[in-house]
């Protein structure tokens, strides 16, 4: 089965990294959402994360502020895991729309 994740890459002062979108399907196999994932480069097949908080900050910044949620997912929902620190301090959370599931 081919890799079904789509990826976007950015260059930063601390190195390359990219986001990946893992499709989420309903019981009828319709593509209804995407899970936001961090990858340390565009060829990575799995996550290699030194600091989970930094990885989440990088990928959410790219998704919300550089690319835009609608550009990534259209009308589908975007799912992503939220670090405990962000739940305790909601000011750290990116803007939440009706298309975002934390």
């Amino acid at each position: 089965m081919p890799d079904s994740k789509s990826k976007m890459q950015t260059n930063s002062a601390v190195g390359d990294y990219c986001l990946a979108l893992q499709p989420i399907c309903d019981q009828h196999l319709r593509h209804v959402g995407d899970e936001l994932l961090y990858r340390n480069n565009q060829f990575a097949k799995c996550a290699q994360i030194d600091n989970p908080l930094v990885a989440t900050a990088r990928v959410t910044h790219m998704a919300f502020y550089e690319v835009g949620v609608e550009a990534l997912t259209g009308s589908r929902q975007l799912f992503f895991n939220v670090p405990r620190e962000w739940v305790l301090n909601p000011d750290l959370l990116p803007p939440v729309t009706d298309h975002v599931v934390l």
Side-chain angles (χ1 to χ4, degrees):
M1 176 183 250
D3 186 359
S4 59
K5 296 176 196 154
S6 60
K7 297 180 182 180
M8 301 189 108
Q9 184 166 352
T10 191
N11 298 321
S12 73
V14 295
D16 294 339
Y17 58 92
C18 66
L19 66 80
L21 296 176
Q22 178 67 48
I24 297 173
C25 297
D26 67 10
Q27 67 271 22
H28 304 290
L29 301 179
R30 289 183 299 227
H31 185 185
V32 296
D34 297 279
E35 181 180 8
L36 182 63
L37 303 170
Y38 171 87
R39 294 295 181 260
N40 64 333
N41 67 62
Q42 66 182 349
F43 304 107
K45 300 259 186 218
C46 62
Q48 296 175 347
I49 298 172
D50 295 326
N51 183 324
L53 191 60
V54 170
T56 301
R58 286 179 175 171
V59 77
T60 54
H61 183 274
M62 185 188 299
F64 284 87
Y65 302 109
E66 293 179 34
V67 179
V69 174
E70 288 182 15
L72 284 174
T73 62
S75 62
R76 297 183 306 271
Q77 292 184 307
L78 179 66
F79 293 75
F80 71 97
N81 296 316
V82 180
R84 184 176 191 274
E85 293 88 347
W86 292 13
V87 173
L88 296 176
N89 185 356
D91 291 337
L92 297 174
L93 291 171
V96 177
T97 70
D98 56 346
H99 293 290
V100 175
V101 179
L102 307 177

